[in-house]
Amino acid sequence: GFKYDFGTDNSLRFNYSFAQRAPNPSDLFSDGLHHSAARIELGDLRIKSESSSKLSVSLEKSAENWGYTVAPYFNRINDFIILEPNDVEFTIRGAFPVWTYRQTNAQLLGIDASIYNNWTSNIRTDHKFSWVLGDDITTDTPLINIPAANFSNSISYTNTKWQNLVIGLESQYIFEQQRFPPNIFVF
């Protein structure tokens, strides 16, 4: 990666990263009821390591009174390990959805953005936004369990003279996820 500083408080970052993740035991050996999730999970011993290539760029301003970051990214994951529902099994304990692990090629496209303002030496506001779009490129469908876009705001009051008093108020809004695979049914 590289970083380019321009002006007194501005910077531009570019990064390429390559990562691999070996399957964990759940991916490989799950074979039955997952009690805390109330579902049957089935692993696959043929699952191999994931390989991820990620490109990210960020534009940042970091001044004393205010600053921001805008950071889009693109992530391509080969042999992405995914857990998804595909059946229902009826047992003597009841009916349970069956979730199986499988591998596919996936891509994630997203952006993280934030801005802050120090209104006074004691009062600060922060605003953050995150959005990600995940696709199974092998089947040309959206990925399951991709978080919805979310937006958070906070305001805080700090007074170091009063035993480091910090009082804050925070709000968070999570949008409704409208992108999911078409074969998901609720029983």
Side-chain angles (χ1 to χ4, degrees), residues 3-54:
K3 177 183 175 187
Y4 173 70
D5 293 324
F6 58 98
T8 57
D9 305 321
N10 300 298
S11 63
L12 177 67
R13 295 176 193 259
F14 173 80
N15 192 59
Y16 169 78
S17 60
F18 178 79
Q20 290 185 300
R21 181 182 80 85
N24 68 40
S26 297
D27 303 338
L28 300 170
F29 302 110
S30 290
D31 189 28
L33 186 60
H34 186 295
H35 292 282
S36 66
R39 65 185 179 205
I40 294 171
E41 290 184 3
L42 302 175
D44 188 343
L45 290 171
R46 297 170 294 183
I47 289 179
K48 54 190 177 186
S49 295
E50 296 177 334
S51 298
S52 168
S53 294
K54 183 177 181 180

Side-chain angles (χ1 to χ4, degrees), residues 79-147:
D79 297 319
F80 178 68
I81 300 169
I82 186 170
L83 176 63
E84 60 189 3
N86 67 348
D87 200 3
V88 174
E89 187 172 315
F90 298 93
T91 71
I92 60 172
R93 295 180 185 154
F96 295 97
V98 177
W99 289 58
T100 56
Y101 288 92
R102 71 174 178 92
Q103 288 191 285
T104 190
N105 294 323
Q107 69 181 23
L108 304 172
L109 177 65
I111 188 166
D112 296 320
S114 64
I115 188 168
Y116 70 86
N117 195 337
N118 292 316
W119 297 93
T120 69
S121 61
N122 302 94
I123 299 175
R124 176 184 170 116
T125 56
D126 287 274
H127 310 281
K128 298 176 184 175
F129 176 77
S130 292
W131 172 80
V132 64
L133 184 71
D135 288 304
D136 179 337
I137 56 177
T138 303
T139 61
D140 194 29
T141 57
L143 288 173
I144 191 170
N145 290 335
I146 296 297

